[in-house]
Amino acid sequence: PETNDANLQDVLTPEIVSPLLKDRDVCNALFPHLPDNAPLDSQSIEEVLRSPQFIHSVNSLTYALRSGALGPLMAELGLDTSISTSDGAVVAFLRAIQKKEDDTMDES
Amino acid sequence: MSGSWTTIESDPGVFTQLIKEMGVEGILVEEIYDLSEEFLETLKPVYGLIFLFNWVHNDAAVDMNAINKMFFAKQKVNNACATQAILGILLNRKEIKLGAELESFKEITKDLDPTMKGIAIGENDHIRKVHNSFKTQEPFESDERMATSKDDVFHFISYVPVNGSLMEIDGLKEGPVNHGECTEENWLSKVKPVIEKRIAQYQTSEIRFNLMAVTKDPLEGYQKEMKEISQKIHELEKDESKIAELEAAKMDKQDILDKIHMHEAKLNRYSVENARRRHNWFPLIIELLKVLAKNGKLEPAIKESQEKTKKRKEA
């Protein structure tokens, strides 16, 4: 099942995310989900991305998706469960998120 | 057992905050990297040491006579062993102000045997709640699955001077191990060879270990020193013949200020790390993924990761 899967840790790196933090709207969308008392600036978000606690959590989620949580989590997030899982659970999860964003953008 | 205990990370910041939230004031837990006299001197006063390692070691005879004169509990709840090691120090040091909850716990359990004391720890809602609060309740976290987490199989031993003897508290034994007479002044130098012997045993194998000190938080001491040195400077400033002494005193004051700043920075770092430990990261993860999706970064990241994963497997 995971012969061609992706790792969430590879996707949520500072290298990939940082360039997007220049956009104030992006930062504003992320701020509410930071820990209490974390400063509300892009440096704070970058530090979080590098923190062992965040990385541990991301890896837990990868593991969970591959161990049966994919279905329940997709249902919880209102994602399209018909997305193919032939590449692996993480790829399916990410493509389902992409699909939801595309559908939302089409509607507006 | 009335409730379950999660595993927590063995980290000085976690332990410092755990102790505070159990109601005990003025304690700082520090990691020990160096058993030299010089380094240990900087940590004093040390109430006790916690030695942790991922192996079970059974040797030395126990002192069954000491059991009734101290707090010794057998380990009855696996995941609670870190908290239990901490309690083994806190409840055996009269100088420590335990706060209402732990005072009450100490009183209620004082006549129980070691097994019942261990069970009492497992059953204590207050202690359990504080312990469990260091683990986030994410929708996908699972203790059983994350058995590879480095802290799950650690064994904990406390070293604490009690009634003039250096005691080793190991919850898997029937009683404490008595390492001989000691005083408040010399107990650290007496425990040093005991610990070094253990470390030497583990050095040659895959065993990992860690050593932490439960100390008196130095902030109160620093503040007292600041007052005294400021007073001294005030006096010296009045006397024009004391320029050299004044300069020396000013340097001392700067040293104390530096120590206070470093202490603040340490507590701040502990606080930030604990907030991150307790945080549910799921909403942030999802929002980040949505952001990547909106900006066309998700699909390229997927492909890059698939490539990386393939390469890792081939390696």
Side-chain angles (χ1 to χ4, degrees), chain A residues 4 7 10 33 57 87 95, chain B residues 138 279 299 305-306 312:
Chain A
N4 197 21
N7 260 333
D10 292 335
H33 306 301
S57 183
D87 276 358
R95 293 214 166 117
Chain B
E138 285 169 327
H279 190 67
E299 192 58 41
S305 179
Q306 286 174 312
R312 281 186 204 119

Side-chain angles (χ1 to χ4, degrees), chain B residues 59-65 67 72 168 170 173-178:
Chain B
D59 48 17
V62 299
D63 182 349
M64 296 305 281
N65 291 324
I67 286 179
F72 176 84
E168 175 181 308
D170 177 347
K173 292 197 162 80
E174 295 307 307
V177 176
N178 189 335

Side-chain angles (χ1 to χ4, degrees), chain A residues 1-73:
Chain A
E2 311 123 44
T3 45
N4 197 21
D5 205 9
N7 260 333
L8 277 176
Q9 195 184 343
D10 292 335
V11 172
L12 290 173
T13 62
E15 290 69 38
I16 293 177
V17 175
S18 288
L20 299 175
L21 299 179
K22 297 192 180 87
D23 181 340
R24 191 73 203 173
D25 289 336
V26 165
C27 289
N28 287 338
L30 300 174
F31 289 155
H33 306 301
L34 293 178
D36 293 343
N37 303 325
L40 300 183
D41 54 45
S42 58
Q43 187 190 340
S44 177
I45 297 173
E46 279 172 3
E47 283 170 8
V48 152
L49 292 172
R50 292 181 213 278
S51 72
Q53 294 80 18
F54 178 76
I55 292 171
H56 175 87
S57 183
V58 166
N59 287 330
S60 289
L61 180 53
T62 293
Y63 188 102
L65 287 170
R66 291 177 183 164
S67 313
L70 176 63
L73 285 178

Side-chain angles (χ1 to χ4, degrees), chain B residues 44 182-189:
Chain B
K44 286 181 180 175
C182 70
T183 65
E184 189 52 52
E185 289 68 38
N186 70 18
W187 82 269
L188 278 175
S189 47

Side-chain angles (χ1 to χ4, degrees), chain B residues 268-280:
Chain B
N268 192 50
R269 182 167 51 85
Y270 283 0
S271 168
V272 167
E273 287 167 3
N274 281 332
R276 288 179 182 161
R277 282 181 188 103
R278 288 167 149 162
H279 190 67
N280 176 357

Side-chain angles (χ1 to χ4, degrees), chain B residues 3-8 18 21 79-80 83 124-137 143 277-278:
Chain B
S4 66
W5 292 65
T6 63
T7 57
I8 62 172
L18 182 83
E21 291 180 10
N79 290 348
T83 296
N124 188 288
D125 284 338
H126 170 70
I127 297 173
R128 180 173 46 85
K129 273 200 192 105
V130 174
H131 172 104
N132 286 347
S133 74
F134 285 89
K135 194 79 165 192
T136 86
Q137 300 309 310
D143 276 349
R277 282 181 188 103
R278 288 167 149 162

